Each structure stands twice: as structure tokens, then as C-alpha cells.
Amino acid sequence: MKKNIQKLIEEQRAFYKSIVSVSCPILEETVFFTSEGFNHLLYKSNRQPRKFSERYMKLMCLKHAPEVLKKCTNVSDTRQVKKTIKGKSKLGVRHEIVCEIKKGTEIRVIVEKIGTGKAKFLSVMPHNNRSKPPKKPKNTRKGRSSVC
């Protein structure tokens, strides 16, 4: 199983590096795909590895991120953030961009911009009703995901 996730990580890392940047009309900015974004797919902000299922889900959705940024017509949420960079506290903004990629499947992309810096891809995941987790059918195998 670990070999499979390692293979997926390497494949997605190569894809990620090939993207470099995408023009996002809704933000009126170019969104850059930096190493920080890819690391965020694999690790939490406190440098703890994400769960296997979470890594897999994010990596499988990654292929849709450029499409979402190019085609999206609305920003679903914008939040002010405070980040410490090199010992200094800086203000920034995080945008949640949601787009339907196929009927019944929505993908959410998080874009972050700190201060006057460039807009950077931060994360990607399936978009669902976050206030109430969906109920799982009783007759499914544990760990299977059909999100992306």
C-alpha cells in the first residue's frame, strides 16, 4: 500500500511541477503553484503528516485544480488570515473557489495571498456541505473514495 501512495505522490508531484501558474479570471490574478502548496497537500500546517485517506483524496483532486481556477465564476468564501513569516506577522487573504467539474461533482481550491505577494495555490479538495458530514451508506467498504 505504501508503494502505491509513493507512486501516486511522485506522479502528482511531476504534474504539479508542470503547472507553474494559471490565470484566474475571477480573482483577476495569476495563481502560482509553489512547493508550499504541494507540501500542504501532504502535511498539516504543524508539519504533521495528513492521514492516508486525506492525502489520497487531495492528490486525486489535484488534476482538477487548474480547470477550477480557469473556469470558476464565483468565489465562495474569502477570509482574512494572519501568518508569521521570518518572525514577522503579516496579514493576508484566503479565497475558496468552488466549481462543478462534472454533474454532481464540485471541487474546492484554496488560494492564498499574503500582503502584496503573489497569489498561491494552497489546497484542493471535494466540495460538500461542510456543516454536516454526509452519511455513509451501510454497505460500503471502508477507505474507498469516489470523490474525484
Side-chain angles (χ1 to χ4, degrees):
M1 193 63 96
K2 285 187 178 183
K3 288 182 182 179
N4 291 340
I5 190 72
Q6 280 307 114
K7 185 178 178 185
L8 177 63
I9 289 170
E10 292 310 313
E11 288 172 359
Q12 295 299 66
R13 181 174 282 139
F15 169 71
Y16 189 87
K17 286 181 177 180
S18 73
I19 302 170
V20 182
S21 66
V22 171
S23 179
C24 182
I26 193 70
L27 295 179
E28 297 177 352
E29 295 212 41
T30 299
V31 176
F32 291 87
F33 285 71
T34 64
S35 60
E36 180 184 356
F38 192 80
N39 287 335
H40 190 71
L41 298 176
L42 304 176
Y43 300 93
K44 298 176 185 177
S45 57
N46 59 0
R47 296 185 181 158
Q48 293 293 319
R50 292 188 184 279
K51 292 179 188 175
F52 174 84
S53 59
E54 200 173 349
R55 284 180 170 203
Y56 181 79
M57 174 194 62
K58 288 177 178 291
L59 290 171
M60 293 305 290
C61 291
L62 180 59
K63 63 186 173 193
H64 301 295
E67 178 186 353
V68 170
L69 291 171
K70 289 176 190 174
K71 294 182 177 181
C72 188
T73 56
N74 80 1
V75 177
S76 68
D77 191 20
T78 300
R79 296 180 186 181
Q80 298 294 321
V81 293
K82 198 174 194 179
K83 213 169 186 182
T84 304
I85 301 172
K86 296 181 182 176
K88 293 185 178 181
S89 185
K90 299 203 175 199
L91 292 175
V93 65
R94 256 188 208 161
H95 301 285
E96 280 188 11
I97 300 168
V98 178
C99 187
E100 186 173 56
I101 54 163
K102 62 182 180 181
K103 189 170 181 164
T105 305
E106 290 183 321
I107 299 293
R108 179 175 7 141
V109 174
I110 310 296
V111 176
E112 182 178 73
K113 183 175 181 177
I114 303 297
T116 58
K118 57 188 178 182
K120 295 187 274 186
F121 166 86
L122 190 61
S123 192
V124 62
M125 64 209 75
H127 182 69
N128 54 18
N129 185 353
R130 287 181 285 171
S131 62
K132 202 183 235 185
K135 290 183 180 177
K136 292 182 182 178
K138 290 181 182 179
N139 296 333
T140 61
R141 281 195 237 157
K142 191 176 182 181
R144 294 190 76 200
S145 175
S146 60
V147 290
C148 297

XYZ file of all heavy atoms in Angstrom, residues 52-53 56 136 141-145:
79
model
N -3.642 8.984 5.590
C -3.510 8.361 4.274
C -4.701 8.727 3.386
O -4.538 9.120 2.235
C -3.396 6.841 4.431
C -3.394 6.104 3.130
C -2.228 5.953 2.410
C -4.569 5.573 2.624
C -2.232 5.275 1.200
C -4.585 4.901 1.421
C -3.409 4.746 0.698
N -5.917 8.602 3.922
C -7.126 8.859 3.133
C -7.207 10.312 2.681
O -7.654 10.606 1.573
C -8.370 8.488 3.932
O -8.423 9.238 5.130
N -4.623 10.898 -0.142
C -5.123 10.288 -1.367
C -6.206 11.158 -2.003
O -6.167 11.427 -3.207
C -5.663 8.885 -1.065
C -6.181 8.169 -2.283
C -5.301 7.551 -3.170
C -7.542 8.124 -2.559
C -5.772 6.897 -4.299
C -8.012 7.481 -3.688
C -7.131 6.870 -4.558
O -7.602 6.240 -5.681
N -22.622 7.948 5.420
C -22.084 6.887 4.581
C -23.106 5.766 4.491
O -23.717 5.393 5.496
C -20.787 6.345 5.172
C -19.664 7.331 5.129
C -18.408 6.718 5.692
C -17.297 7.727 5.678
N -16.068 7.213 6.259
N -17.294 -0.475 1.532
C -16.020 -0.837 2.141
C -15.360 0.397 2.692
O -15.423 1.467 2.119
C -15.108 -1.461 1.097
C -15.440 -2.887 0.838
C -14.282 -3.498 0.093
N -14.790 -4.035 -1.158
C -14.070 -4.245 -2.215
N -12.802 -3.963 -2.225
N -14.593 -4.751 -3.284
N -14.693 0.230 3.820
C -14.006 1.333 4.478
C -12.805 1.781 3.638
O -12.081 0.957 3.100
C -13.521 0.878 5.861
C -13.035 1.992 6.722
C -12.682 1.467 8.091
C -12.226 2.598 8.978
N -11.865 2.125 10.291
N -12.616 3.097 3.535
C -11.437 3.628 2.878
C -11.601 3.906 1.389
O -10.725 4.444 0.763
N -12.706 3.510 0.786
C -12.898 3.762 -0.641
C -13.467 5.147 -0.834
O -14.300 5.619 -0.093
C -13.842 2.739 -1.230
C -13.231 1.342 -1.194
C -14.034 0.376 -1.964
N -13.772 0.633 -3.372
C -14.567 0.249 -4.352
N -15.669 -0.379 -4.082
N -14.278 0.507 -5.588
N -12.989 5.800 -1.880
C -13.442 7.157 -2.142
C -13.718 7.318 -3.623
O -12.925 6.902 -4.462
C -12.358 8.145 -1.701
O -12.729 9.427 -2.051
